[in-house]
Amino acid sequence: MPNLLQIIMYLVNKIKWQNSLIQLLNDYITWLEDAGDRPPKGTDITKLDYNKLTLDDPPKVVKIERADYKYLLKQAVEAGKPIKPVRRHKSSSEVPEHVRCAKCHAPHDYLYKNNGVHGQYQCKVCSALFNSKNHYSKDVILKCPHCEKCLEKIKQRSEFDIYKCKNDTCPYYIQALNQLSEEQKELYTVAPYYLKLRYVYRQFNLKLEDIKSYGLIESPVDLSRIHASPRLLGEILTYHVNYGLPAPKVAALIYDIHGVKIGRQTILNYAAAAGAQLYTLTQHYPYDLSDQICGDETYIRVGKKWHYICYFFDAKNKIILSQRVSEKRNTELAIRAIHDVLDHYIASEIPEDLNLIVDGNPIYKLAQHFLAQHGLNFDITQVIGLTNEDEVSRQYRPLKQIIERLNRTYKGNYRGTHGFKSQNGARAHVACFTACFNFLRPHQSLDGEVPVRIPFVHDDAKTMPDKWIRLLSFGNSVLQYTD
Ligand SMILES: [Zn+2]
Ligand SMILES: [Zn+2]
């Protein structure tokens, strides 16, 4: 009989062995993650600082007046008061040769050092004061809308630069400071970066024109010239898109039922061609929208990399409004997706109370900043975290659940494709899914009706393949019309 100590030793050894096994498994998981085989992680919302992303008023943009020093010098001669280069008595008052007046471009001979330490100069020709580092050679300067002092660029990022008003007597700053609780004041003395008390402006390096253009989707085949009959094409799309069956299964089904041999790649090509043909229709159809629009991101595999899809969705009327695919989950993706949503209102006008419900990712707030700078205004409600701790999350939780369900539906559909070779292929698949979702797929919550009923598509067609054919022909006419 083993004694108690022996039993304990046995157990301790066993635990040690289990621990080493766990360590080994952990190492394996890390290795897998490094190999990029795991889907990307969501944003760690605990690491984000929402307070810093409040939307401030736009800054005052002041155009710098330009003058020509040669013309000014000539004028001065004509007026009998010629301006001579600055006479310097000390070498410390020398102005470096590369510095020129920011306003009239006068060379360094005509410039005074105004305050040696801060690098400010004054021009003898036009009497402009300028800083060689700050707004030298710029066309405009940005001023704080609250105190009119020049904003300072504090950060430069790939998508935007951040400007801040550093004036300690700025009314914006003073008011924010006065509103702090005792606890916050204490925090501010030790870690001021946790609180946003000063006026901040983000200047985006993106252009709205570039954001708008997404381009049509390239079609791998011309659907008007394929071997399959329209009926067969409709059946293929029904199996593959409505039911999310993978291409090999669709091929097997078609062979079993009709005795027709069709390759899997051909099936994928047909679906992509349908997506290309229906994309314009899904983006420009005059939808009837509710006030419950929410957005979310999901990821798909394109080649060897993970790509993101940013969806916007009318949760009440079950209409997908945006379907942007991008290599990066960044502000640009959010701007593009939200712009698609706003585009649906352009004909009528963006409702004053338009409120988009999204997750806690800061890209949506940044997108709001960018679009507000272009006169496109709307609200953003961020439902942060998975628990119902705060009032906002509780109120909007059902909406988030609806979009998460949409996400799962898409994932189920996407699984049948085994990833995409190109972004164009991914876009085509997403467009095809969207068209099916908006126009062909009946919804339980809509009493078994489709979200958007097009009389031409639905009135005379009895079966799903027939509806696909009619939808494709409708989509084609829209495509011709918008060209
Ligand atoms: Zn000057
Ligand atoms: Zn200010």
Side-chain angles (χ1 to χ4, degrees):
M1 277 286 280
N3 61 25
L4 188 63
L5 189 67
Q6 277 175 317
I7 292 173
I8 289 174
M9 281 316 290
Y10 168 78
L11 286 174
V12 164
N13 278 329
K14 184 118 183 151
I15 288 167
K16 272 188 188 164
W17 176 79
Q18 280 174 335
N19 272 341
S20 63
L21 186 69
I22 288 168
Q23 186 55 45
L24 204 70
L25 282 171
N26 272 337
D27 288 349
Y28 181 62
I29 287 169
T30 319
W31 177 80
L32 274 183
E33 277 174 346
D34 289 346
D37 269 344
R38 293 197 128 206
K41 286 191 190 116
T43 322
D44 184 356
I45 48 142
T46 54
K47 287 187 182 151
L48 301 169
D49 193 352
Y50 291 95
N51 190 23
K52 285 200 172 159
L53 282 169
T54 47
L55 183 55
D56 288 335
D57 294 335
K60 283 206 164 163
V61 180
V62 181
K63 271 206 154 188
I64 296 177
E65 256 183 87
R66 293 288 174 196
D68 176 5
Y69 78 97
K70 286 179 190 157
Y71 175 76
L72 291 175
L73 288 177
K74 208 175 99 192
Q75 253 193 337
V77 171
E78 279 166 12
K81 291 175 185 169
I83 303 167
K84 290 198 175 123
V86 178
R87 276 213 230 166
R88 299 179 216 276
H89 304 291
K90 287 181 281 179
S91 61
S92 63
S93 61
E94 291 281 340
V95 172
E97 230 172 280
H98 69 274
V99 181
R100 284 187 160 233
C101 171
K103 185 175 168 182
C104 75
H105 213 60
H108 70 117
D109 315 328
Y110 291 95
L111 304 178
Y112 296 107
K113 267 190 179 172
N114 201 41
N115 54 348
V117 198
H118 300 290
Q120 199 186 52
Y121 298 99
Q122 182 156 34
C123 174
K124 196 180 171 187
V125 183
C126 70
S127 49
L129 278 169
F130 64 96
N131 192 305
S132 66
K133 272 188 222 142
N134 231 351
H135 49 265
Y136 175 61
S137 83
K138 269 186 213 159
D139 288 326
V140 291
I141 44 173
L142 300 172
K143 289 188 173 186
C144 172
H146 302 277
C147 70
E148 307 242 331
K149 286 270 188 313
C150 288
L151 297 176
E152 219 175 285
K153 193 196 271 188
I154 56 161
K155 250 174 219 166
Q156 203 160 355
R157 299 204 180 146
S158 61
E159 291 179 305
F160 52 84
D161 299 335
I162 303 179
Y163 289 83
K164 195 180 208 173
C165 172
K166 287 197 168 175
N167 175 15
D168 284 338
T169 57
C170 176
Y172 182 101
Y173 172 65
I174 290 173
Q175 199 193 0
L177 204 60
N178 288 338
Q179 278 171 352
L180 292 184
S181 67
E182 285 307 314
E183 264 179 356
Q184 285 173 319
K185 272 182 195 156
E186 219 165 278
L187 175 69
Y188 189 58
T189 50
V190 281
Y193 40 83
Y194 275 117
L195 296 163
K196 178 192 172 290
L197 299 184
R198 294 181 187 271
Y199 171 85
V200 164
Y201 172 69
R202 285 175 185 78
Q203 190 169 52
F204 289 88
N205 306 320
L206 308 159
K207 290 200 180 85
L208 188 63
E209 285 310 308
D210 301 339
I211 296 292
K212 281 183 190 169
S213 66
Y214 195 24
L216 294 173
I217 299 170
E218 247 175 79
S219 185
V221 287
D222 181 352
L223 285 182
S224 64
R225 290 159 186 262
I226 56 172
H227 292 299
S229 67
R231 172 75 201 182
L232 190 61
L233 172 65
E235 280 185 25
I236 289 170
L237 293 174
T238 304
Y239 295 139
H240 185 55
V241 189
N242 297 60
Y243 290 88
L245 288 183
K249 277 200 178 165
V250 176
L253 240 170
I254 296 292
Y255 184 72
D256 285 348
I257 290 174
H258 301 293
V260 176
K261 275 204 168 163
I262 193 153
R264 342 168 148 183
Q265 191 54 47
T266 308
I267 289 166
L268 292 172
N269 287 350
Y270 287 178
Q277 194 157 321
L278 294 170
Y279 171 68
T280 308
L281 173 70
T282 63
Q283 285 309 103
H284 296 289
Y285 192 85
Y287 297 117
D288 186 14
L289 299 176
S290 80
D291 57 356
Q292 301 187 19
I293 314 282
C294 38
D296 201 4
E297 313 112 54
T298 187
Y299 40 82
I300 50 165
R301 196 94 178 174
V302 177
K304 285 183 178 163
K305 279 173 137 185
W306 289 104
H307 278 52
Y308 298 89
I309 305 176
C310 189
Y311 274 111
F312 271 87
F313 177 58
D314 182 325
K316 192 172 163 220
N317 295 348
K318 311 287 173 205
I319 300 166
I320 298 173
L321 300 173
S322 180
Q323 42 178 4
R324 290 277 183 161
V325 180
S326 162
E327 234 175 286
K328 289 181 186 148
R329 177 164 44 181
N330 56 8
T331 311
E332 194 175 328
L333 172 62
I335 295 171
R336 285 175 187 274
I338 294 176
H339 192 270
D340 286 344
V341 176
L342 302 180
D343 228 12
H344 291 290
Y345 293 103
I346 296 297
S348 45
E349 220 173 87
I350 300 170
E352 245 172 61
D353 54 354
L354 181 66
N355 183 21
L356 307 177
I357 323 295
V358 290
D359 61 25
N361 198 326
I363 56 174
Y364 297 111
K365 273 277 179 190
L366 294 169
Q368 185 192 23
H369 282 221
F370 174 83
L371 291 163
Q373 284 168 22
H374 291 87
L376 300 167
N377 294 298
F378 54 90
D379 279 331
I380 288 269
T381 301
Q382 296 198 292
V383 183
I384 300 160
L386 293 166
T387 51
N388 291 348
E389 274 167 34
D390 60 299
E391 205 40 58
V392 178
S393 298
R394 211 169 302 143
Q395 191 186 345
Y396 291 104
R397 200 73 221 138
L399 279 187
K400 274 290 287 176
Q401 280 161 353
I402 288 172
I403 200 151
E404 272 156 18
R405 205 171 308 140
L406 166 70
N407 228 324
R408 279 199 298 277
T409 311
Y410 178 72
K411 283 271 159 183
N413 196 286
Y414 158 73
R415 227 167 275 136
T417 64
H418 300 292
F420 303 100
K421 286 194 194 110
S422 66
Q423 188 156 323
N424 185 72
R427 284 183 62 202
H429 185 266
V430 176
C432 195
F433 172 81
T434 301
C436 175
F437 194 93
N438 289 1
F439 302 109
L440 298 177
R441 196 171 179 266
H443 270 269
Q444 238 175 1
S445 59
L446 301 173
D447 296 327
E449 255 300 328
V450 292
V452 182
R453 194 183 165 85
I454 304 171
F456 171 76
V457 174
H458 292 272
D459 283 357
D460 294 318
K462 292 219 164 50
T463 65
M464 192 53 75
D466 285 348
K467 288 176 192 170
W468 267 111
I469 297 313
R470 284 174 165 259
L471 185 67
L472 281 169
S473 114
F474 190 70
N476 200 30
S477 60
V478 170
L479 198 60
Q480 307 302 329
Y481 180 73
T482 40
D483 275 357

